[in-house]
Every structure is written in structure tokens, then in C-alpha cells.
Amino acid sequence: MSSEERLELLQGTLDLLVLQSLRRGPAHGHTIMQAIERRSGSVLHVEQGSLYPALHRLIKRGWITFEHGTSENNRRAKYYELTAKGLKQLAVETSNWEKLASAIARVLRPA
Amino acid sequence: MSSEERLELLQGTLDLLVLQSLRRGPAHGHTIMQAIERRSGSVLHVEQGSLYPALHRLIKRGWITFEHGTSENNRRAKYYELTAKGLKQLAVETSNWEKLASAIARVLRPA
DNA sequence: CATACTCACCTAGAATGTCTAGTGAAGAGC
DNA sequence: GCTCTTCACTAGACATTCTAGGTGAGTATG
């Protein structure tokens, strides 16, 4: 009933969203969460318990790196940044997402 | 390299695909698998080990029922059919999918 | 009629990724 | 000093898909 409905993420989409968010430059975790939420029109909501494991996963795979820094609010923060490998991965995942989404659209389309 | 690339399903999309496949009438498992694959242009591939648990899940939730019958190839088969509840669920999941897909598209869209 | 193949169904356990529900530390505002 | 907010983190629960098997019965081949 509420027009503020928030949906759970589909498993596998968070990496894509995070990589895309870092495309415009380094950002720390809090910012990334807010950016995804804002840019999705408040439809997507990323929990901290999803985001931080995802960031660590991306680091492990060499798709992002981080540096320590200070946030706009004067807190200690880690600034995450896309690597060259991560930029390539973003292209791959974007392409896969588009293929998947259009494949599902074809199945859903009333024949 | 292959143009026959097949992608893994996103977790949470299989129920939607199965419900949609049953929208045109009863079908057995084998047929459902083939229908999803064909209608997606061979992009989506459903494993038996994913499909049958999904069908049992949908029965448990009251979204589909089944009857025993005989397939076009003269084999014993279970014909699955949408319930009224399942039809409603299909509408909900279709709507959620569209919201999610467009939310992700907004995030991906180069600003 | 023996064999191989396909159809149709099933399951256990691994793998993956998100969420729930916490903890902790440190700056800002009162 | 006290509370609120920001930022980071983690363990464990949970849900779903996949891998890798297995079964039984009909069909085709020789």
C-alpha cells in the first residue's frame, strides 16, 4: 500500500551496483549505500551487513582497493576505488545484467 | 567467445519464470524447462536440480497444484497448474521484477 | 531380447550472497 | 557528561541455485 515500498536485492546484483557507484570516483561505504539508494529512487536499500562483506569480496577479487581517509563529517573512513580490473568487471557485469534482464523480459512478455 | 553464452539465473527469478510459464495452461516439468529456455532465446537455462525444488516450493506455498498424467511422449508426468493464489503471486512478482529492473537501470544509467 | 538412449522425476549437499542483529569507536551537539 | 549519528565490522541465519548424482519406464536399434 505504501508508495515507499523497498524491495530486497536480487542476489548477484550488489557487486554490479557497487562497482557502478565507484565509477565516478572513490567513495566510502556510507556514501556508496546512500548513492545506490538515492539513484534508484529509494527502491533499492542496501544493508550494512550486505555492503561491507561485498566490499571485502570485491577487494579480494582485485576489483577495488581502498585508502584510509577522513569523511565529510570528520570521521575515519575507507575510501574505496575501482581498479582497472574492476572497471573491466563492471563492463562484463553490466553486459550480463542487460542480457539477463532482456531475456526475462522476453519470457514475461505476453505472447 | 561463444555466441551461445548462457547465464546463471539470478536468485529469486525462477519462481517468476515458472509461474509465468504456467500462465498459458498446465505443463509438466520438462516442458517448463524447455519453454523458459526457448522463450528466452537460449539465454536462460534451468537445471533440473533447480526446477524440481522450485516446483515443490511453489506447491507448498499454494501457488500451483499438479495432477498425474501422460506426456506427449507417452511417459508418466506431473502436470502443474497455476492456482488463483499463484496467479496473484505472478502479478506481484512481475511487478516487483519491473520495479527492481528499472531501479537498477536508473543506477546504471550514466548520469 | 539386449542394449542404449531419452524422457520425466527426484534428492543431498555445496556454493553463493543477502539479511538480521548485533558490536565498537569516535566526532558533534546539547 | 550524555546522547545521537556516522562509519566500520562480524557471526550466524536464511533462501535459492547448482553440481552431481540416482530411478524407472518407454522407444529404437541391431
Side-chain angles (χ1 to χ4, degrees), chain A residues 54-71:
Chain A
L55 287 170
H56 300 158
R57 197 162 61 225
L58 297 181
I59 290 174
K60 206 168 180 180
R61 293 179 182 162
W63 297 340
I64 63 176
T65 54
F66 73 92
E67 278 175 15
H68 292 286
T70 305
S71 76

Side-chain angles (χ1 to χ4, degrees), chain A residues 6 27-28 37 44 76-77 81-82 85 106:
Chain A
R6 258 180 203 151
H28 56 81
E37 189 148 351
L44 305 178
R76 279 188 285 155
E81 185 171 11
L82 266 188
K85 211 170 150 191
R106 274 195 294 280

Side-chain angles (χ1 to χ4, degrees), chain B residues 29-30 48 52 56 71 75 78 80:
Chain B
H30 228 72
Q48 295 192 347
Y52 290 107
H56 300 159
S71 77
R75 306 286 160 88
K78 287 188 182 174
Y80 298 93

Side-chain angles (χ1 to χ4, degrees), chain A:
Chain A
M1 295 306 157
S2 132
S3 61
E4 278 261 350
E5 189 183 5
R6 258 180 203 151
L7 302 167
E8 294 209 339
L9 288 181
L10 287 172
Q11 204 167 298
T13 54
L14 182 52
D15 289 4
L16 170 60
L17 294 170
V18 170
L19 291 174
Q20 170 67 24
S21 296
L22 291 177
R23 210 186 176 319
R24 303 130 172 235
H28 56 81
H30 228 70
T31 300
I32 296 174
M33 274 179 45
Q34 291 170 341
I36 293 175
E37 189 148 351
R38 186 176 43 77
R39 290 178 46 82
S40 73
S42 294
V43 174
L44 305 178
H45 177 69
V46 183
E47 299 295 335
Q48 296 190 347
S50 308
L51 179 69
Y52 290 107
L55 287 170
H56 300 158
R57 197 162 61 225
L58 297 181
I59 290 174
K60 206 168 180 180
R61 293 179 182 162
W63 297 340
I64 63 176
T65 54
F66 73 92
E67 278 175 15
H68 292 286
T70 305
S71 76
E72 324 76 60
N73 297 312
N74 201 31
R75 306 287 159 89
R76 279 188 285 155
K78 288 188 181 174
Y79 281 83
Y80 298 93
E81 185 171 11
L82 266 188
T83 62
K85 211 170 150 191
L87 190 59
K88 274 191 200 171
Q89 183 62 21
L90 172 57
V92 169
E93 296 208 8
T94 301
S95 156
N96 282 351
W97 164 260
E98 281 162 3
K99 279 179 205 153
L100 266 175
S102 69
I104 290 179
R106 274 195 294 280
V107 175
L108 293 184
R109 181 162 43 226

